[in-house]
């Protein structure tokens, strides 16, 4: 591939057609072809399940929403903390009773997909004999074959090969919830950051990015289908680099591509098309489609990306900025590649360039060697940053990781519990301040769905990603209109925030709106 600077794009031909149709189709499954999915873990798993479903649908399977009706039960699993895996073991213990109970339906095949499959490989079957297939995150194309292989009662089929280049770029995922107006689009897979506590690099393999054109094509199709929000997904979504079709010459920014003060333990890739380029392209596909991204790493927030977020009304003003700890000493032990100060400087920079940004974080408490002073540093970071939302975890040691091999899990469960309670308390105290400041403001809410328990209430999200509830009743069709309409999923509603609970708002709907009209002056 030529490393010349070249921006023309090569359209992918035949984007309607799914090339994996060339794969052999197995149509003799003596156990039937009805599949049930249950998904755990992060959003990447949700999207992966959609790839797995696309592959199986193509092989003639039908989906069911009830495990009781299923011929094949697939659990898409997570290994991030011990508790995540415990949940799956418990679920398996229950599901295997179906193997005895399902009258007239034969035995459902049980499959473990995803990160736990990758981490434990055949050990899963050794521990739980009821499992028939085990497929890692890069093996979903192989599901029809694996199921074919597992037809006999005594055979287990396993594929846990990780790939250096699988991005499922040529497969159009089939969404589980066909009525939903929001969609996930994976843009890269794997992670090479090797944070010392984290299992993900071992379950998801090397970092690789999907070509820009295949992403743009998918999002165009989603826009044509009426999807109103796309979340770009990756374990390090902003480390995205398309090194495939179109090459850039490494530019001066490529030489120092990271946020100021940040470093990695692996050699950053150079050249290719980067996250800012992709964000620019996808945000121009449909100006009424919201673009979000998850999960970014603090190291890859050059000003270019921040300017884009600030300038484009359809790129949401929400940044997930996982800090993990407020102590430089612990951050070093975690191999996060930044100090407390670097992180706080980045927060300032982000707030300077995107004043109404909402920020969220992940924090781990009780990591190896974390002492009381480190813990106080985390409390003070939460005090300083004032996040709009946060995911707070107790450290859970994972085999294979650097911390498992080289460090001591030396904070007791009791202290981890206490510290978690303390960081939770500070976070919630600050949240009261942050949320109160939002009260009375007008926000553009994208309606997602009526509440299952109370269809008189609609749930949506603000630009900043805050969950917001409005009454399910008619509203004016525009700012000065006398006509009214019942808002539905996929509609934008201008709404005034009236009250909050820790993680959600109630709002008074004002009128139907759009990204264009809401953000143009005077129409709010
Ligand atoms: N790639 C993403 C997140 C991956 S996992 C990122 O880097 O932001 C989601 C979160 O789980 C992490 O941000 C971290 O806070 C938490 N986590 C990961 N490993 C953990 C462990 N061993 N114990 C407790 N929490 C962990
Ligand atoms: Fe895990 Fe770190 Fe990679 Fe996130 S960046 S997936 S925390 S190794
Ligand atoms: Fe869990 Fe794997 Fe996601 S370990 S958090 S499902 S990448």
């Amino acid at each position: 591939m030529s490393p010349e600077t070249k921006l023309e794009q090569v359209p992918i031909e035949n984007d309607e057609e799914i090339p994996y149709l060339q794969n052999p189709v197995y149509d003799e499954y003596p156990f039937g072809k009805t599949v049930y999915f249950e998904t755990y873990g992060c959003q990447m798993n949700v999207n992966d399940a959609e790839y797995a479903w696309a592959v199986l649908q193509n092989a003639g399977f039908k989906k069911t929403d009830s495990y009781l009706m299923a011929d094949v039960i697939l659990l898409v699993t997570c290994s991030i903390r011990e508790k995540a895996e415990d949940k799956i073991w418990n679920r398996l213990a229950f599901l295997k009773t179906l193997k005895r109970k399902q009258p007239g339906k034969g035995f459902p095949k049980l499959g473990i997909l995803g990160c736990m499959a990758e981490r434990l490989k055949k050990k899963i079957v050794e521990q739980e004999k009821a499992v028939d297939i085990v497929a890692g995150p890069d093996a979903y194309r192989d599901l029809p074959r694996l199921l074919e292989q597992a037809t006999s009662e005594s055979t287990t089929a396993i594929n846990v090969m990780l790939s250096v280049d699988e991005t499922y770029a040529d497969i159009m995922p089939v969404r589980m919830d066909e009525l939903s107006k929001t969609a996930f689009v994976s843009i890269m897979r794997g992670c090479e950051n090797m944070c010392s506590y984290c299992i993900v690099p071992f379950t998801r393999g090397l970092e690789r990015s999907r070509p820009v054109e295949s992403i743009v094509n998918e999002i165009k199709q989603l826009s044509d289908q009426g999807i109103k929000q796309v979340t770009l997904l990756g374990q390090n979504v902003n480390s995205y680099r398309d090194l495939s079709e179109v090459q850039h010459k490494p530019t001066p920014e490529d030489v120092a591509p990271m946020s100021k003060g940040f470093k990695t333990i692996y050699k950053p890739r150079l050249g290719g098309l980067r996250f800012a380029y992709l964000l620019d392209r996808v945000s121009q596909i449909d100006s009424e489609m919201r673009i979000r991204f998850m999960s970014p790493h603090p190291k890859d927030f050059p000003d270019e990306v921040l300017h884009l977020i600030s300038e484009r009304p359809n790129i949401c003003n929400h940044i997930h900025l996982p800090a993990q700890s407020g102590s430089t000493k612990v951050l070093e032990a975690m191999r996060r590649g930044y100090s407390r100060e670097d992180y706080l400087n980045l927060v300032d920079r982000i707030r300077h360039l995107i004043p109404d940004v909402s920020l969220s974080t992940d924090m781990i408490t009780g990591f190896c060697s974390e002492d009381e002073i480190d813990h106080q540093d985390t409390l003070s970071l939460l005090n300083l940053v004032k996040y709009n939302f946060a995911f707070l975890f107790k450290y859970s040691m994972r085999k294979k990781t650097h911390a498992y091999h080289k460090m001591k899990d030396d904070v007791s469960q009791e202290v981890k519990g206490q510290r978690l309670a303390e960081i939770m308390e500070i976070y919630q105290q600050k949240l009261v301040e942050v949320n109160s400041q939002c009260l009375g403001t007008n926000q553009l809410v994208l309606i997602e769905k009526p509440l299952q328990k109370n269809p008189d209430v609609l749930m949506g999200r603000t630009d900043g990603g805050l969950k917001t509830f409005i009454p399910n009743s008619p509203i004016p069709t525009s700012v000065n209109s006398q006509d009214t309409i019942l808002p539905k999923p996929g509609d934008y509603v201008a709404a005034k925030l009236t009250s909050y609970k820790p993680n959600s708002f109630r709002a008074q709907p004002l009128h139907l709106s759009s990204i264009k009209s809401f953000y143009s002056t005077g129409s709010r």
Side-chain angles (χ1 to χ4, degrees), residues 80 190-201 235-236 295-297 299 322 324 334-336 362 364:
I80 201 79
C191 177
E192 283 164 43
N193 274 331
M194 293 285 181
C195 299
S196 58
Y197 51 82
C198 186
I199 193 67
V200 172
Q235 285 304 343
N236 272 283
S295 245
H297 191 287
K299 73 182 163 62
Q324 312 296 3
M334 288 175 160
R335 304 206 296 200
R336 285 292 289 177
D362 294 345
I364 299 176

Side-chain angles (χ1 to χ4, degrees), residues 465-477:
L466 309 170
K467 216 183 238 187
T468 305
F469 300 108
I470 63 164
N472 191 0
S473 47
I475 56 170
T477 51

Side-chain angles (χ1 to χ4, degrees), residues 1 6 9 22 41 87 94 177 183 195 211 236 245 265 296 396 401 424 491 509:
M1 266 173 290
K6 215 163 127 207
Q9 304 297 322
Q22 300 148 0
K87 229 191 241 174
F94 167 74
D177 178 358
C195 299
N236 272 283
E245 298 272 340
I265 65 159
S396 162
T401 59
M424 196 88 90
D491 282 345

